[in-house]
Amino acid sequence: MLRYFLSRLLSLCLSLVVASVAIFAVVEVIPGDPAAFMLGLNASPDTVAALRAELGLEGGKLARYFDWIGGLLVGDFGVSYTYRVPVSELVLARLWVSLPLTVYALILSTVIAVPVGVVAASRRGSTADYGVMAATQLGIAVPNFWFAMLLVLVFAINLGWFSAGGFPGWDKGVWINLRALTLPAVALALPQAAILARVMRSSLLETLGQDYIRTARAKGLSRRQAVLGHGLRNALIPVMTILGLQFSFLLAGAIIIENVFFLPGLGRLIFQGITQRDLIVVESVVMLLVFAVILVTFLVDLAYAAVDPRLRRR
Amino acid sequence: MLSVEGLSLDIHGSPILRGVSFGIAPGEVFGLVGESGSGKSITALAAMGLEPRGAEVRGAVGFLDRDLLEVPEPEMNALRGREIGMIFQEPMTALNPVQRIGDQVAETLVVHGAATRAEALDVARERLARVGLPVDRFPLERYPHELSGGQRQRVCIAMAVALRPKLLIADEPTTALDVTTQAQILDLLRGLVAEEGMALWLITHDLAVVADMADHVAVMRDGRVVEADRTERLFRARAHPYTAKLFADSGHVPARAVQVTATPVLEVRGAVRDYPLPRRTLLGPRPAFRAVDGVDLVVHAGESVGLVGESGCGKSTLTRAILGLDVLQGGTVRIDGDAVHARHLDGRVRAKMQVVFQDPYGSFNPRHRVERLVAEPFHLDPAPPAAWRPRVAAALEAVGLRAADGGKYIHEFSGGQRQRIAIARAIVIRPRLVILDEAVSALDVSIRAQILDLLADLQGRFGLSYLFISHDLSVVRAITDRVLVMRAGKIVEEGPTERVFVAPGHAYTRALIAATPRIPSAWVA
Amino acid sequence: MRLPAQLWAGAALSGVFVAAALISLIWTPHPVEGMNIAARLKVPGDGFVLGTDHFGRDILSMLMVGAQTSIAVAVVAVGIGMAAGVPLGLLGAANRGGWIDEIVMRGNDLVFAFPSLVIAILITAVFGPSAVNAILAIGIFNIPVFARVTRGGALSLWTLDYILAARVAGKGRLRISVEHILPNVANLLIVQGTIQFSLGILAEAGLSYVGLGAQPPVPSWGRMLAESQTMISFAPHLALLPGMAIVLTVLGLNLMGDGLRDVLDPRLRRAR
């Protein structure tokens, strides 16, 4: 078990190092002089030089990389060029919108998809199964941002149940904010739930064909007992893989959805960073997103070991 | 106690069982034998109410004054596991991989409401000890992947007999196991039947196992019972022609004209093959597992040599090394005097040996026509014959197929025909040595007899040498001149086949032979 | 053998959009670049089959040309993914556990750590938004997908006896990969190809929607949606039509993929 944990941890660190090098290379090395890039074509050489000094671009590339990484490790993301505040402050504030949104969507997606997939698999070939398959087929085809627009049209503009966008802030209370995040979370979650339900269904169908299900039936378990008692846990292993991937899809999807609903999250921050050529912000937010994805992959690996004893020995 | 009457079963309209009838008395062992596809397993599943979807069952299965086919599903659930237990062929996949063995055995009791979980675990401990898995060596917390195949089958048995059912159905319970393990499992089943007064319905393809175990036997073919009787009487009389043929085929010894010379074709000297194991500590050295440990082996021109051993003894590893597919850590392999090096092996040398594998279904690329499949070894010929088609046609005809079959795809052939095609591919470049790696193990006895005849015939015609690798002692005895017994990477005994079988020198060989089920010779005389 | 109905339905549905894209190369009902303020925000049917937008441009024509963009981006992105991913997967499987395999797998993990949108954001932040950069971002993300599918399929084939037989016939790993492995993983690749195609269309729409894809004046479905957003309360058809175009195309491709899987997978074929 310890071996497995350590090997996953090593892989986590390795991924982080390589990812950070890749991001650093794309942002700070390929464009040549980041300072000139950020200021645009009309900047005077003096301003460029001043910004270079401010950004600490004087040193060699290697030294700059280690400066950057060292800063990240202690929570120093640098100073935003446009906002003139530490990037960590910006990011932290926005994280409190993006992270709850992603988790909200992930929970919604799982809570909807797993039971639906289980029902469809255990009643294979029934009307319910065909209904689920048709609905999920449609769900996969719907772009989440368009779905978000439809939700706004129906539930905000026509019915007036929710606001069309905006975020009050956590100091205004929990419920009002959860309400504000509900439409975005639904828009994010339903297309992903469609995928997850299909994976759950096919994975459970596959385990139901296994010999140990027949053994369980021969022991006197009913179909239902065999499905829930022996099929489900084995079927969850591929579902966890998809859940891990979904986290990264949801996080990326949140970037777009935040634009639909005018939510002040990381997505909005990153687009502001791009339009204002604020590379420091873009670089830091991308690194943070990648870190989150790698961390979730690591957690999924640990969850495998919890579910599947065969992995623990390795 | 159990009486199957006129049981018929259709799947999507095609008939699988046609009027199967037989009875099992309390406390007796009933054997149901037949070749693959005869419907013996599905008969048991139908009796248990576990037939596959789309199956339509007619007839009656009487059990304790009830017709099981009429019993509603909830009551069937209560019956399964409590009154009738069942074990299956594949112990490797029959257990839930993510649940502890103790819990899996205890579940039988819990699901029938016979005990609380704590009590059930006590019973599980006792039952597992009874089937040979005492708790001090096999704690209840073990997971299935930590056990061997034989041990897993013991867990399955403990699970099936946890509530002391009146009938235990065992569907090919030892087919996937080695002979010595098979003997232990059969002993265990016999003991349980005697102790618990339980009836055993044993389903198998192996006549010798039935002869050894059963009081009554029924022979099935194409969904029908062709003959049923007391075991000894049925074996002595062999009244039905199919029964008689099954007997003849299972003991078939092909006629061979042996022309062994003193010229060695294959010479293996001091072969050593290590496999690295995962590190035990994070940075420590990787321990190694020695799969082949100083093996010497010679096959002479025209000779058939058998290499027998149980799974994991290293015979497959040795085969791969001989074929030049794996590197040896020590020793040499010579074919016709030329050294075999896995890393740089000349096509000319490689062309002197070919191989036939066990699985007739995985041995061919499904996208190529048969003629291209058979012609593949011509790749070894530096100057591939321009007229390769006639040679492929000749090879196909030599194995009893038609030249026109070369234009077909592999899925158009049966398992036995595929094995013929595999042999055609092996002989098409006229090798000196053909390695037969469990080449007849997956075949039914009637097909196996034909393939053995074919191999004997080809050996005479083309002067081939065979290295016959198998776990099946009776086959090796039927077709080889000399035999080597392998265990844990070493050759423990070597000698002329008859001598080794009649007067085995090594304790392990004796154990192997003793473990092999046999039909009493008085019955077949 | 009967082809499944969903294959036909899917092929017909996606065929409509491919045809629309092809026709738009030579003809559209109205010019897409011409603004016509007099005919702005017309509802469908009023002289224009699907109405007009706030500049008076014909929606049908824009959808047809937008199909071009979507399909072109998706095709090239799948092409990039296959061209790089399939050889990597084959090589990795042929040298299982070797350093090539290790690099392929670790490289895959790395790309998987970047959601495709994040790659696109990085690329556009540095090189500026354009259709080409969108293609690159989506294509890079496709590489590990195809590498994984190829490697997985190939690994299970490598354990089969016919591969051993080919090795006994003296064939090298590369030759076996091309002659025996590739044709037998082709099914998987075709099915995965249609899936990635539909995902590519979704991804392109998303990137264009946030302004990182095709730039004006090139019409694209995603940007049409972005532009319609502020008008959704009084001109909902502007938001509905491009969205439905995306949904129907993707639905068609997915149905086709599922149908192809049923037809091509020998395991399923036997079961039917």
Side-chain angles (χ1 to χ4, degrees):
Chain A
M1 184 70 200
L2 185 69
R3 266 187 62 85
Y4 179 77
F5 177 80
L6 287 178
S7 81
R8 296 332 297 162
L9 194 66
L10 189 73
S11 154
L12 166 98
C13 297
L14 215 64
S15 299
L16 281 179
V17 168
V18 181
S20 64
V21 169
I23 292 171
F24 183 81
V26 170
V27 175
E28 299 214 14
V29 179
I30 293 174
D33 187 347
F37 178 83
M38 286 165 73
L39 289 169
L41 293 175
N42 303 323
S44 71
D46 290 348
T47 15
V48 172
L51 183 63
R52 286 180 66 89
E54 186 187 326
L55 294 176
L57 294 184
E58 303 303 334
K61 293 193 172 82
L62 205 62
R64 264 161 55 208
Y65 171 75
F66 282 113
D67 270 359
W68 180 56
I69 289 296
L72 287 184
L73 288 178
V74 296
D76 174 12
F77 288 63
V79 176
S80 160
Y81 167 67
T82 35
Y83 294 92
R84 296 284 164 192
V85 288
V87 176
S88 52
E89 271 177 35
L90 284 173
V91 166
L92 207 62
R94 309 300 181 102
L95 206 56
W96 279 108
V97 179
S98 295
L99 205 59
L101 175 58
T102 308
V103 173
Y104 193 175
L106 198 63
I107 291 173
L108 267 183
S109 159
T110 315
V111 166
I112 295 168
V114 171
V116 166
V118 170
V119 168
S122 44
R123 301 197 186 150
R124 180 184 193 178
S126 70
T127 324
D129 185 24
Y130 281 117
V132 166
M133 291 306 281
T136 52
Q137 188 71 266
L138 193 65
I140 291 173
V142 173
N144 56 20
F145 60 92
W146 183 62
F147 187 48
M149 288 163 67
L150 295 186
L151 290 177
V152 169
L153 184 64
V154 174
F155 292 100
I157 297 176
N158 290 343
L159 295 173
W161 293 356
F162 295 92
S163 65
F167 187 76
W170 290 107
D171 50 333
K172 301 277 192 322
V174 174
W175 286 112
I176 188 171
N177 287 300
L178 280 185
R179 199 183 154 104
L181 289 182
T182 297
L183 283 190
V186 170
L188 273 174
L190 281 191
Q192 296 298 315
I195 298 175
L196 198 62
R198 289 175 85 90
V199 173
M200 184 72 237
R201 174 183 179 272
S202 62
S203 165
L204 192 55
L205 278 182
E206 186 163 342
T207 44
L208 289 187
Q210 298 290 322
D211 286 354
Y212 53 78
I213 296 293
R214 194 177 56 181
T215 308
R217 297 277 284 139
K219 268 201 279 193
L221 274 73
S222 67
R223 253 187 78 80
R224 190 187 160 79
Q225 285 170 321
V227 170
L228 297 178
H230 293 276
L232 199 56
R233 187 161 165 202
N234 283 288
L236 278 178
I237 296 170
V239 170
M240 277 172 7
T241 313
I242 301 298
L243 261 182
L245 281 178
Q246 292 216 325
F247 179 80
S248 94
F249 281 121
L250 289 172
L251 207 58
I255 297 177
I256 294 187
I257 292 293
E258 282 167 11
N259 278 279
V260 181
F261 290 94
F262 307 104
L263 297 176
L266 288 177
R268 300 271 289 165
L269 182 64
I270 209 169
F271 285 116
Q272 284 157 0
I274 290 175
T275 28
Q276 290 151 359
R277 298 191 158 206
D278 194 339
L279 284 182
I280 309 296
V281 167
V282 173
E283 184 181 52
S284 306
V285 176
V286 167
M287 188 64 218
L288 196 71
L289 292 177
V290 171
F291 172 72
V293 172
I294 293 176
L295 187 69
V296 166
T297 312
F298 173 70
L299 293 177
V300 168
D301 282 346
L302 293 192
Y304 279 145
V307 173
D308 192 341
R310 286 165 291 188
L311 283 174
R312 283 177 221 160
R313 251 194 341 179
R314 289 209 223 124
Chain B
M1 179 182 55
L2 183 88
S3 67
V4 176
E5 280 156 33
L7 185 70
S8 294
L9 186 146
D10 295 352
I11 293 181
H12 298 302
S14 52
I16 306 293
L17 299 178
R18 287 173 276 195
V20 173
S21 301
F22 57 84
I24 303 177
E28 80 160 346
V29 178
F30 170 76
L32 187 62
V33 287
E35 296 186 288
S36 55
S38 60
K40 52 195 192 302
S41 295
I42 197 125
T43 305
L45 289 173
M48 282 286 265
L50 294 176
E51 66 278 359
R53 280 165 165 262
E56 195 192 319
V57 188
R58 292 178 309 279
V61 179
F63 179 74
L64 304 174
D65 305 325
R66 309 183 65 177
D67 181 0
L68 292 183
L69 301 184
E70 302 294 328
V71 173
E73 182 60 19
E75 285 176 53
M76 264 323 272
N77 285 334
L79 216 79
R80 287 186 208 113
R82 180 188 281 275
E83 306 292 349
I84 309 177
M86 187 162 182
I87 57 173
F88 301 95
Q89 173 170 355
E90 232 348 299
M92 300 311 275
T93 53
L95 293 170
N96 184 347
V98 302
Q99 200 178 33
R100 300 184 178 98
I101 56 170
D103 291 335
Q104 297 198 43
V105 176
E107 188 179 31
T108 308
L109 296 124
V110 175
V111 79
H112 289 285
T116 63
R117 187 165 178 278
E119 294 163 3
L121 282 174
D122 282 338
V123 177
R125 193 169 295 123
E126 179 264 318
R127 295 268 86 179
L128 281 168
R130 172 61 191 90
V131 299
L133 301 174
V135 76
D136 50 328
R137 283 176 49 222
F138 301 95
L140 300 182
E141 289 75 31
R142 286 284 175 87
Y143 285 99
H145 72 269
E146 297 169 298
L147 304 177
S148 70
Q151 290 162 349
R152 289 187 210 192
Q153 194 61 294
R154 287 171 193 271
V155 176
C156 290
I157 293 172
M159 221 154 64
V161 301
L163 279 169
R164 301 171 195 269
K166 299 190 174 59
L167 171 68
L168 175 65
I169 305 176
D171 184 0
E172 302 268 10
T174 56
T175 306
L177 305 173
D178 282 324
V179 277
T180 48
T181 319
Q182 160 167 300
Q184 293 161 3
I185 296 287
L186 291 178
D187 265 349
L188 171 64
L189 288 174
R190 210 183 279 122
L192 282 169
V193 166
E195 263 170 49
E196 319 249 330
M198 145 186 107
L200 174 67
W201 173 359
L202 181 67
I203 297 167
T204 180
H205 68 283
D206 191 334
L207 288 172
V209 168
V210 175
D212 202 21
M213 297 281 294
D215 305 311
H216 277 87
V217 180
V219 180
M220 273 190 88
R221 184 197 190 184
D222 294 339
R224 288 195 177 89
V225 170
V226 298
E227 194 176 7
D229 207 336
R230 283 199 23 246
T231 307
E232 183 174 346
R233 211 157 52 200
L234 184 132
F235 274 56
R236 283 185 187 270
R238 283 164 260 153
H240 193 278
Y242 178 69
T243 315
K245 180 168 182 306
L246 213 53
F247 263 79
D249 287 341
S250 68
H252 182 73
V253 177
R256 299 196 305 131
V258 184
Q259 310 148 328
V260 180
T261 64
T263 333
V265 169
L266 173 71
E267 261 188 294
V268 179
R269 293 279 169 232
V272 172
R273 168 76 188 165
D274 289 335
Y275 282 114
L277 295 173
R279 287 188 182 85
R280 296 231 173 76
T281 55
L282 201 57
L283 295 170
R286 293 185 76 163
F289 168 69
R290 183 150 287 191
V292 175
D293 189 1
V295 167
D296 295 324
L297 186 160
V298 177
V299 180
H300 298 100
E303 192 181 25
S304 284
V305 174
L307 178 64
V308 296
E310 298 188 291
S311 54
C313 74
K315 56 190 196 298
S316 311
T317 309
L318 180 62
T319 312
R320 292 174 63 88
I322 293 173
L323 286 167
L325 300 176
D326 272 350
V327 184
L328 284 175
Q329 270 80 38
T332 55
V333 176
R334 287 181 178 281
I335 182 94
D336 225 6
D338 293 311
V340 173
H341 295 290
R343 291 202 201 287
H344 39 88
L345 183 53
D346 194 51
R348 192 182 48 80
V349 178
R350 189 161 245 162
K352 289 178 181 165
M353 54 186 168
Q354 284 296 305
V355 63
V356 178
F357 296 107
Q358 171 175 6
D359 177 15
Y361 293 89
S363 290
F364 305 96
N365 186 338
R367 296 185 178 273
H368 292 172
R369 286 179 200 279
V370 165
E371 57 186 8
R372 184 166 172 197
L373 295 170
V374 172
E376 187 157 45
F378 284 135
H379 180 72
L380 295 166
D381 206 325
W388 59 271
R389 274 172 209 275
R391 286 184 61 182
V392 168
L396 283 173
E397 277 165 359
V399 298
L401 296 170
R402 290 172 306 123
D405 288 333
K408 295 186 188 168
Y409 286 97
I410 197 70
H411 67 257
E412 299 171 59
F413 296 90
S414 69
Q417 288 172 322
R418 289 179 196 212
Q419 216 55 342
R420 287 174 189 270
I421 294 169
I423 294 169
R425 174 171 61 190
I427 62 167
V428 75
I429 40 166
R430 296 291 161 80
R432 302 290 312 274
L433 173 74
V434 175
I435 298 181
L436 300 154
D437 187 358
E438 303 275 8
V440 297
S441 301
L443 304 174
D444 277 325
V445 283
S446 53
I447 310 290
R448 183 166 77 193
Q450 294 168 14
I451 298 290
L452 289 178
D453 279 340
L454 172 67
L455 288 172
D457 169 52
L458 292 174
Q459 181 167 42
R461 268 207 274 169
F462 300 121
L464 297 169
S465 306
Y466 288 147
L467 177 57
F468 208 100
I469 295 157
S470 184
H471 69 281
D472 186 336
L473 297 183
S474 62
V475 171
V476 170
R477 187 173 186 175
I479 195 158
T480 62
D481 308 307
R482 204 152 50 80
V483 67
L484 292 87
V485 181
M486 192 164 178
R487 185 196 195 187
K490 289 193 167 84
I491 302 293
V492 296
E493 180 160 7
E494 175 179 1
T497 303
E498 270 317 297
R499 201 275 293 151
V500 171
F501 276 85
V502 174
H506 192 275
Y508 178 67
T509 318
R510 279 199 293 276
L512 268 186
I513 292 173
T516 308
R518 243 188 320 269
I519 302 171
S521 49
W523 294 7
V524 285
Chain C
M1 190 177 55
R2 224 183 89 246
L3 292 177
Q6 54 178 349
L7 181 58
W8 288 117
L13 210 50
S14 8
V16 167
F17 287 91
V18 173
L22 290 176
I23 292 171
S24 74
L25 288 173
I26 48 172
W27 175 81
T28 54
H30 297 270
V32 286
E33 271 148 43
M35 291 196 195
N36 180 1
I37 303 299
R40 62 197 287 261
L41 291 176
K42 285 212 186 267
V43 292
D46 188 3
F48 297 83
V49 181
L50 295 179
T52 61
D53 71 356
H54 53 297
F55 292 125
R57 289 175 297 188
D58 176 42
I59 301 284
L60 178 61
S61 306
M62 289 180 68
L63 285 180
M64 286 170 70
V65 183
Q68 257 183 55
T69 316
S70 283
I71 291 170
V73 168
V75 165
V76 179
V78 168
I80 293 175
M82 277 202 183
V86 172
L88 284 175
L90 285 177
L91 269 179
N95 301 287
R96 182 180 196 173
W99 59 271
I100 296 182
D101 192 27
E102 205 51 37
I103 289 178
V104 169
M105 291 312 290
R106 292 289 84 78
N108 277 346
D109 289 350
L110 186 70
V111 181
F112 267 121
F114 290 82
S116 57
L117 192 74
V118 173
I119 294 188
I121 286 169
L122 255 190
I123 290 178
T124 45
V126 175
F127 302 103
S130 76
V132 173
N133 288 344
I135 290 175
L136 274 181
I138 302 169
I140 290 174
F141 193 67
N142 276 340
I143 295 172
V145 173
F146 283 104
R148 228 165 237 224
V149 168
T150 310
R151 180 176 180 274
L155 279 182
S156 63
L157 290 177
W158 272 102
T159 63
L160 291 180
D161 282 343
Y162 69 80
I163 301 300
L164 271 185
R167 292 187 61 199
V168 171
K171 292 183 176 166
R173 288 174 176 275
L174 267 182
R175 177 162 182 156
I176 290 174
S177 288
V178 174
E179 188 177 312
H180 288 299
I181 307 281
L182 187 58
N184 285 296
V185 295
N187 291 346
L188 295 176
L189 295 178
I190 291 171
V191 172
Q192 195 64 43
T194 58
I195 295 172
Q196 293 310 117
F197 195 119
S198 73
L199 288 178
I201 286 180
L202 280 177
E204 191 276 335
L207 288 176
S208 305
Y209 172 77
V210 292
L212 300 182
Q215 296 300 301
V218 180
S220 89
W221 294 344
R223 219 184 46 258
M224 288 171 75
L225 283 175
E227 289 170 358
S228 76
Q229 200 175 339
T230 50
M231 296 172 276
I232 193 165
S233 53
F234 56 91
H237 70 280
L238 292 186
L240 289 177
L241 291 170
M244 278 164 62
I246 298 172
V247 171
L248 291 178
T249 315
V250 173
L251 188 65
L253 286 166
N254 285 342
L255 286 175
M256 210 164 84
D258 282 3
L260 281 173
R261 191 199 318 257
D262 289 357
V263 174
L264 295 176
D265 188 336
R267 239 179 6 158
L268 292 172
R269 194 161 38 193
R270 231 180 291 134
R272 274 195 303 144

